[in-house]
Amino acid sequence: ADGTVILRADADGNAGGSGGALTMSDGSSVNSGSGTITLSADEDIAVSRLVTTNDTAQAVAITSTSGAVLDAGDTGGADIFATDAVLTVATAAGIGTAENPLETDIGTLVATVTGSGVVNLVEIDAITLTNVTTADGSITVDSGGPLTATLVDSSAIDDDTNEISLTTTSGGIAVVAINAGSKNDVTLNA
């Protein structure tokens, strides 16, 4: 079946880190067919597998106002499968972790971390980083195809800890704008 999927864990708007979390168990999935997927919670959102054939700018949107977006497990393939689509993520505490990145099969990433937290993502093939920013955290993206960095920025706290690392195992890296400040390092591997 095709349709819009909306999962919300904070229907009463009680924010501040106690308003509710969304947790998928490893091996579980949400499949919207060609519809869009929207997840929102105040606390952490743990994703096992989100699937859509929707290839629009609204394909998958995930928002955690006080928490992070985390990988709930690796059974079944990429955590987010929306080939050629846009994944939009906004969190307060990060996207993936250094030990367990979020795995994706998407076309474009728009990601914002407003508090302390990293962006750590592994893309199966090509990806465009349209706007990826952290307020206090490193950014690490590994791709299996060409990578385009339209805007990647970790410069808000310039203290030699908020590094940017972009790696591709196939194809090149095209850079429009990367800003890590003057003390944070930038590493590009192609």
Side-chain angles (χ1 to χ4, degrees):
D2 294 335
T4 299
V5 173
I6 300 172
L7 300 175
R8 184 176 303 130
D10 189 22
D12 65 359
N14 180 17
S18 62
L22 286 174
T23 304
M24 298 176 69
S25 60
D26 185 20
S28 65
S29 67
V30 172
N31 187 333
S32 67
S34 63
T36 60
I37 299 173
T38 302
L39 306 181
S40 62
D42 178 46
E43 298 177 65
D44 290 345
I45 298 174
V47 176
S48 173
R49 185 148 168 85
L50 305 178
V51 179
T52 181
T53 59
N54 187 296
D55 62 359
T56 68
Q58 296 80 31
V60 180
I62 305 173
T63 303
S64 173
T65 55
S66 300
V69 174
L70 304 170
D71 182 348
D74 297 323
T75 302
D79 300 314
I80 301 169
F81 181 85
T83 303
D84 299 327
V86 176
L87 167 62
T88 303
V89 184
T91 76
I95 301 164
T97 65
E99 300 78 24
N100 195 4
L102 202 63
E103 293 97 9
T104 62
D105 186 351
I106 60 174
T108 301
L109 177 65
V110 176
T112 304
V113 178
T114 59
S116 180
V118 304
V119 172
N120 195 355
L121 186 130
V122 174
E123 166 61 26
I124 290 175
D125 50 25
I127 188 168
T128 299
L129 308 177
T130 297
N131 188 345
V132 179
T133 61
T134 58
D136 184 11
S138 62
I139 299 172
T140 304
V141 177
D142 296 340
S143 70
L147 188 152
T148 302
T150 305
L151 175 58
V152 180
D153 192 332
S154 69
S155 68
I157 295 184
D158 192 12
D159 63 357
D160 199 28
T161 63
N162 297 320
E163 322 296 2
I164 295 174
S165 174
L166 306 179
T167 301
T168 179
T169 57
S170 176
I173 297 175
V175 174
V176 177
I178 295 177
N179 184 1
S182 62
K183 295 180 183 174
N184 300 321
D185 297 329
V186 174
T187 305
L188 306 177
N189 293 305

